Amino acid sequence: MQDRSGVMEKLASLGKRKGFIFRSSEIYGGLGSTWDYGPLGVELKRTVTERWWTDVVAKREDVVGMDAAILMNPKVWEASGHVDSFQDPLVECGQCRRRFRQDHVEGDVCPECGGPLSEPRMFNLMFKTFIGPLEDEGSVAYLRPETAQGIFVNFRNVQEASRQKIPFGIAQIGKAFRNEITVGNFTFRSREFEQMELEWFCHPDEAGQWFEYWLQARFDWYISLGVAREHLRLRPHEPDELAHYAKVCQDIEYEFPFGWSELEGIADRGTYDLDQHLELSGKDIRYLDPNTHERYVPVVIESSGGIDRTVLTLLADAYDEDEVEGEERMLLRFAPHIAPIKAAVFPLVKREEMPETARRIVEELRARAWNVLYDEGGSIGRRYRRMDEVGTPFCITVDGQTAEDQTVTVRDRDTLVQERVSIDSLAGHLSERLNP
Ligand code: ATP
């Protein structure tokens, strides 16, 4: 498909209609840039997190996981620099009162109404709350704006408990919160989102090579989800764009219909975070090399990706329109191993043994923990279209011939080819395609 303008609007409407993504608390008019995942959206999200955990943690001897609390001692955010530096320049239009991030607007007039913009004022992105009954300075706490600090403050705990030796990584998946000034582009910039972060601890002499290693590994990971290579690129940060903690950073970007935008950042954080925590906490959290007996602060190479942005990428990349037998078709071309519904089973008609046979097939396939649907409503063409719209790769139809020779048809969403497959070999047939 050539023209991708309008795709985000179509995805938002398809997302709601089919149960991928809803606006949060929609019946009350929603809440700015927070989102709820419906039955199909949560499947996609779980697939992303499970694949990340499998590839980054489970398959590797040198990475261990953890799960830190969202609320942390506020000293963490002082040490990390977030209290002082995690801020964006906010400008306000004197005419329509809309607010923007100064670095997101060109020139000094309002992009919406052309009114004059105010002088920028720095705005901290952390959500503030209070612990306990008193709302005073002493009880301030923040909702974490990144999961990484939970890893840094536990560096010593995890290293000693797991007996990992440098180089090794600590991985975490969890919610993060940012009071973003400008939001939009569907879920791309949300105020509550989920991160998947790997903090890789290495000797300072090896930082460069590990940075390159993780950059490549993480880029390839998006391709393994079925995202088109030509829609992905690496973009090094300009020096003035670097976060306060980073020495070098490259973004993995996806070409969304609204332009190239960040999916994940790979950064050399140097020894910044551990140095800061060492200083402010006064605890010696340095690493002791068991061979050389050298005590040092390791360098951190970070890979920080967003689950919501990955889900949005999968949706945007899969969205397509074509024509089948003179009729327009809207479809999601998810790779089979990513698709939220793996297959649907249809009785051609609601007669004879067809519904029973179809239900038996659904049960057998579900026993493999595949999300498989039964559908007997409407013409077979309509049932195919419904599944195309949610990206189901295979539709299985029980027809008149099934009773004679115990075969069904398996229709491929992309090629539209229908194969006859015996019921006995159906699970094996699908398994090959669902587990590349
Ligand atoms: P930006 O410059 O776009 O505000 P950032 O560079 O501050 O983003 P990072 O701090 O590098 O973002 O965050 C790491 C990852 O977390 C991002 O690559 C993205 O996938 C995810 N992320 C960050 N902010 C948001 C958000 N508001 N909504 C959804 N995902 C986010």
Side-chain angles (χ1 to χ4, degrees):
M1 204 178 52
Q2 293 304 314
D3 179 18
R4 294 185 76 81
S5 63
V7 167
M8 296 315 287
E9 289 73 21
K10 288 178 184 169
L11 279 179
S13 115
L14 180 75
K16 176 181 166 173
R17 193 158 48 83
K18 293 295 174 180
F20 284 97
I21 298 171
F22 308 119
R23 287 168 68 199
S24 154
S25 10
E26 191 194 65
I27 59 168
Y28 290 103
L31 177 70
S33 277
T34 51
W35 302 92
D36 296 341
Y37 288 82
L40 298 187
V42 72
E43 293 292 335
L44 270 185
K45 214 175 152 190
R46 288 179 62 92
T47 300
V48 170
T49 50
E50 279 162 19
R51 290 193 70 87
W52 188 84
W53 198 266
T54 301
D55 293 334
V56 175
V57 187
K59 285 186 178 171
R60 301 187 63 108
E61 268 188 291
D62 52 7
V63 178
V64 291
M66 67 161 292
D67 186 31
I70 288 174
L71 296 173
M72 303 179 78
N73 189 309
K75 288 220 160 62
V76 170
W77 306 111
E78 273 173 47
S80 69
H82 284 82
V83 172
D84 288 336
S85 311
F86 194 55
Q87 38 194 16
D88 282 337
L90 168 87
V91 287
E92 191 176 285
C93 171
Q95 203 160 287
C96 72
R97 298 272 154 220
R98 282 197 183 84
R99 290 174 180 153
F100 305 93
R101 235 169 88 173
Q102 191 194 26
D103 55 330
H104 284 179
V105 292
E106 279 172 30
D108 52 7
V109 292
C110 172
E112 293 289 333
C113 76
L117 291 177
S118 66
E119 283 298 306
R121 131 175 110 78
M122 293 316 274
F123 175 81
N124 195 294
L125 300 182
M126 283 197 293
F127 279 100
K128 223 179 198 181
T129 186
F130 299 94
I131 300 227
L134 293 178
E135 297 196 359
D136 59 18
E137 270 309 302
S139 55
V140 165
Y142 300 97
L143 298 187
R144 66 181 178 198
E146 60 173 25
T147 63
Q149 296 304 325
I151 295 179
F152 298 136
V153 297
N154 278 292
F155 169 68
R156 236 347 241 284
N157 282 342
V158 174
Q159 189 271 319
E160 286 179 1
S162 63
R163 302 176 59 228
Q164 285 285 343
K165 293 195 186 73
I166 274 176
F168 77 98
I170 306 178
Q172 177 169 220
I173 289 178
K175 289 263 180 161
F177 304 81
R178 295 183 188 178
N179 200 0
E180 301 275 5
I181 300 171
T182 36
V183 289
N185 288 327
F186 201 11
T187 60
F188 181 80
R189 193 174 297 285
S190 309
R191 294 203 167 96
E192 171 177 344
F193 54 97
E194 209 159 344
Q195 289 187 311
M196 37 195 183
E197 296 199 297
L198 169 73
E199 307 302 328
W200 179 259
F201 300 91
C202 62
H203 193 277
D205 295 345
E206 294 183 341
Q209 93 199 38
W210 283 115
F211 181 83
E212 292 303 321
Y213 170 87
W214 282 110
L215 195 60
Q216 193 58 48
R218 296 302 305 143
F219 187 82
D220 293 345
W221 186 78
Y222 288 95
I223 293 169
S224 80
L225 300 183
V227 180
R229 181 183 280 273
E230 64 271 23
H231 292 152
L232 289 167
R233 74 172 187 197
L234 290 171
R235 190 185 65 83
H237 275 206
E238 302 295 334
D240 63 349
E241 225 194 317
L242 285 174
H244 63 272
Y245 50 73
K247 284 191 160 159
V248 225
C249 184
Q250 290 218 28
D251 287 343
I252 300 175
E253 293 190 334
Y254 176 74
E255 190 175 19
F256 284 98
F258 51 84
W260 287 98
S261 305
E262 169 179 349
L263 285 186
E264 168 161 342
I266 318 292
D268 177 343
R269 292 180 79 127
T271 58
Y272 177 83
D273 301 274
L274 292 184
D275 281 342
Q276 289 289 105
H277 290 305
L278 196 145
E279 195 180 318
L280 199 70
S281 73
K283 299 280 176 336
D284 189 0
I285 52 175
R286 288 178 301 165
Y287 174 72
L288 174 65
D289 189 300
N291 301 321
T292 63
H293 302 290
E294 182 193 1
R295 221 179 242 292
Y296 65 95
V297 176
V299 161
V300 170
I301 305 299
E302 168 181 88
S303 118
S304 173
I307 289 164
D308 311 80
R309 285 190 187 174
T310 306
V311 168
L312 189 62
T313 298
L314 293 173
L315 283 166
D317 210 53
Y319 186 86
D320 203 1
E321 290 167 10
D322 66 1
E323 216 184 88
V324 175
E325 290 159 10
E327 246 190 75
E328 275 222 351
R329 173 171 84 140
M330 180 191 269
L331 75 161
L332 293 173
R333 294 191 192 272
F334 293 127
H337 62 293
I338 298 303
I341 301 173
K342 300 300 179 200
V345 188
F346 310 146
L348 183 62
V349 288
K350 283 186 255 182
R351 275 185 279 110
E352 294 147 27
E353 301 289 295
M354 289 183 214
E356 287 77 10
T357 309
R359 285 201 187 275
R360 185 163 50 81
I361 294 173
V362 170
E363 214 172 286
E364 281 171 17
L365 298 178
R366 281 215 167 238
R368 298 182 170 242
W370 291 333
N371 190 9
V372 174
L373 289 196
Y374 174 86
D375 188 1
E376 58 173 30
S379 73
I380 203 81
R382 295 247 330 250
R383 285 181 263 170
Y384 282 149
R385 289 304 169 275
R386 274 205 286 271
M387 285 299 116
D388 293 340
E389 271 188 327
V390 295
T392 307
F394 307 109
C395 289
I396 298 156
T397 303
V398 173
D399 58 15
Q401 201 181 316
T402 308
E404 289 162 29
D405 63 4
Q406 297 299 303
T407 63
V408 290
T409 62
V410 178
R411 177 239 195 209
D412 181 291
R413 176 198 66 207
D414 296 335
T415 62
L416 303 172
V417 169
Q418 297 191 27
E419 274 181 87
R420 280 210 89 84
V421 176
S422 74
I423 296 176
D424 284 347
S425 57
L426 189 57
H429 177 89
L430 294 180
S431 178
E432 276 174 29
R433 288 156 181 80
L434 292 173
N435 304 302

